Amino acid sequence: MDASLSSDDLKFREEVRAFFHNAEPEAAQQLINNPRTYKQGAVQWQKKLHEKGWIAPFWPKQYGGAGWTVTQSYIYETERVKANAPDVVPFGLKMVGPVIYTYGNDEQKARFLPGILSSDDWWCQGYSEPGAGSDLASLTTRAVSEGGDYIVNGSKIWTTYAQYADWIFCLVRTDASGKPQQGISFLLIDMNTPGITVSPIQSINSVHSLNEVHFENVRVPKANRIGEEGQGWTYAKSLLAHERTVIARVADSKKRLNTLRQIASRELQGGQPVIKDASFRHRFTNIEVELMALEYMELRVLAAMARNESPGAESSLLKIKGTEIQQALHELTIELAGIYGGVVLDDGEPGSSVGHDFGDSARKDFMYGRASTIFGGSNEIQKNIIAKRVLGL
């Protein structure tokens, strides 16, 4: 693997930096940071990317994507984090979109892809259920055939931003007679269909992003099924592999590590900066070394993707180590915040705090970050995948 950048790559990096400088992402990021204006900010920013032609880096040009190389995508992501620019909402652009253009028919591509690219259609993911999380193949939401439609009954849970969604992509059971994985189909469901109810879940960081979605005799056209009936598990595995690669969030952790270094350099303990404390430096350096190793692992996976190889068990390795590093950073940051990490603000407005200016965000990041080793397939399940596919156990 050659980690150096070519002259063309360096020119592209300058183009990306110039775009972020002129696009002024701070305005959109401020809206995104406030739960009440989250969708407004996300859509505002994504429409700027769409106008530039950069909304879907990995999508083929024939479907409206940027058609970037893997190296260009890596450069963009690195510069995005440096510029404090928002990431795109993943459900449409990074998850269901690639499934549709890979496994969908021409009519489905023409119907759904333009709305995903323009951000006119907001998507959410219907995978986990109250009784089926890490063991996703045990899902029980049923889709019974009735003429040209399916009648869907059941519930999905932990559905992020379902309260804003126009569409949901769902795994449903269409056959219970064989192996669990063989009876699952992949459906695209209009969230305005009669019989769908969205119930909010207030998370531990006091933000409403999660929901439970209930289906009661929901009629879904069979034309909204991706691929063949009973083959949804195959399509879902492809989606999950890419999702776990994204969850590693290497560039974000590098930015967070640098911010932590700056904070520890100005916060005092015993009259000297915390960064000089031997115990703190030991923990900080361990995270830094592991993050460096994770970045090279990510580069190897990206190089494989550039050869049109799907990220397999390596995506599980990225997910495990990436989320563990995120949590280690959250823990060190909230310890640095001390008692101010426990302050709960009444107004809920981002950016306002008591005492340490990072105390409120440290607490919220720590609390929500507990879920990172669970969502996208728990780390325990990822270890089973590695044991089976890498170690042959």
Side-chain angles (χ1 to χ4, degrees):
M1 180 187 71
D2 185 1
S4 61
L5 297 178
S6 68
S7 59
D8 287 340
D9 292 333
L10 293 173
K11 289 179 182 178
F12 177 75
R13 185 174 65 183
E14 292 306 311
E15 182 184 0
V16 172
R17 288 175 175 175
F19 169 76
F20 284 133
H21 176 75
N22 296 322
E24 299 179 344
E26 297 83 2
Q29 188 65 68
Q30 287 179 0
L31 293 172
I32 290 171
N33 289 343
N34 188 329
R36 291 189 288 272
T37 55
Y38 172 84
K39 184 177 181 180
Q40 177 187 349
V43 171
Q44 180 186 106
W45 177 248
Q46 289 178 188
K47 284 189 175 294
K48 283 188 178 183
L49 291 176
H50 183 234
E51 183 180 350
K52 177 68 174 176
W54 287 1
I55 189 62
F58 277 124
W59 287 31
K61 286 187 176 181
Q62 69 188 93
Y63 300 125
W68 286 349
T69 65
V70 170
T71 302
Q72 287 175 315
S73 297
Y74 176 78
I75 291 171
Y76 173 86
E77 184 64 12
T78 300
E79 296 302 322
R80 178 192 69 77
V81 174
K82 288 182 180 178
N84 291 317
D87 196 2
V88 299
V89 180
F91 306 108
L93 291 160
K94 295 182 179 180
M95 295 183 184
V96 73
V99 170
I100 293 172
Y101 70 63
T102 302
Y103 301 105
N105 56 42
D106 290 339
E107 181 180 347
Q108 290 167 337
K109 294 173 188 177
R111 180 182 179 188
F112 294 109
L113 295 183
I116 294 173
L117 290 169
S118 66
S119 300
D120 290 332
D121 292 334
W122 188 282
W123 287 78
C124 61
Q125 179 186 38
Y127 275 22
S128 295
E129 297 182 3
S134 296
D135 183 16
L136 188 56
S138 65
L139 64 89
T140 59
T141 296
R142 294 294 306 273
V144 178
S145 177
E146 186 177 287
D149 299 328
Y150 289 110
I151 307 301
V152 178
N153 284 278
S155 295
K156 297 294 180 178
I157 200 168
W158 315 125
T159 313
T160 304
Y161 295 123
Q163 72 268 34
Y164 302 137
D166 304 296
W167 288 85
I168 182 171
F169 56 96
C170 272
L171 292 181
V172 298
R173 185 159 302 286
T174 47
D175 185 359
S177 61
K179 292 183 177 180
Q181 293 88 342
Q182 295 175 346
I184 294 173
S185 297
F186 196 107
L187 291 187
L188 311 179
I189 304 176
D190 187 338
M191 288 291 284
N192 292 314
T193 308
I196 296 179
T197 304
V198 178
S199 301
I201 299 174
Q202 195 76 8
S203 58
I204 195 170
N205 64 346
S206 302
V207 175
H208 172 208
S209 62
L210 304 175
N211 303 271
E212 189 167 0
V213 181
H214 310 278
F215 302 90
E216 185 175 356
N217 296 323
V218 175
R219 187 172 292 272
V220 182
K222 289 184 178 178
N224 288 8
R225 186 191 70 226
I226 296 295
E228 300 179 20
E229 184 175 279
Q231 295 301 309
W233 188 254
T234 299
Y235 314 141
K237 285 195 298 182
S238 171
L239 184 155
L240 284 170
H242 287 279
E243 179 187 4
R244 289 163 187 160
T245 303
V246 171
I247 289 172
R249 304 189 72 85
V250 173
D252 292 272
S253 289
K254 288 177 66 178
K255 178 65 178 291
R256 188 179 293 273
L257 185 73
N258 187 55
T259 300
L260 181 59
R261 179 188 285 108
Q262 294 173 1
I263 294 172
S265 297
R266 70 171 185 259
E267 292 297 323
L268 301 180
Q269 176 177 288
Q272 65 176 3
V274 177
I275 194 70
K276 294 185 177 181
D277 177 77
S279 176
F280 180 90
R281 288 179 64 86
H282 175 73
R283 294 173 63 187
F284 182 93
T285 304
N286 281 344
I287 296 173
E288 188 173 31
V289 170
E290 292 205 342
L291 184 54
M292 187 182 302
L294 181 68
E295 182 176 20
Y296 275 92
M297 183 190 298
E298 181 185 55
L299 289 170
R300 286 196 295 271
V301 170
L302 292 175
M305 292 171 64
R307 299 191 297 269
N308 294 319
E309 299 173 9
S310 178
E314 292 85 353
S315 66
S316 295
L317 289 167
L318 278 172
K319 199 271 180 179
I320 291 171
K321 185 50 66 176
T323 53
E324 287 178 348
I325 288 174
Q326 291 166 38
Q327 289 182 347
L329 284 167
H330 293 155
E331 290 170 5
L332 203 52
T333 304
I334 198 168
E335 288 181 21
L336 193 57
I339 61 172
Y340 296 109
V343 174
V344 178
L345 301 178
D346 292 333
D347 59 13
E349 290 292 337
S352 58
S353 187
V354 177
H356 293 52
D357 57 0
F358 61 92
D360 185 54
S361 61
R363 176 181 57 83
K364 290 178 178 178
D365 290 343
F366 173 81
M367 288 180 170
Y368 193 80
R370 296 296 87 194
S372 63
T373 49
I374 300 173
F375 57 60
S378 72
N379 284 16
E380 290 77 11
I381 293 296
Q382 304 315 308
K383 291 175 182 178
N384 287 343
I385 293 172
I386 293 168
K388 180 178 179 181
R389 298 185 184 177
V390 179
L391 302 178
L393 300 178

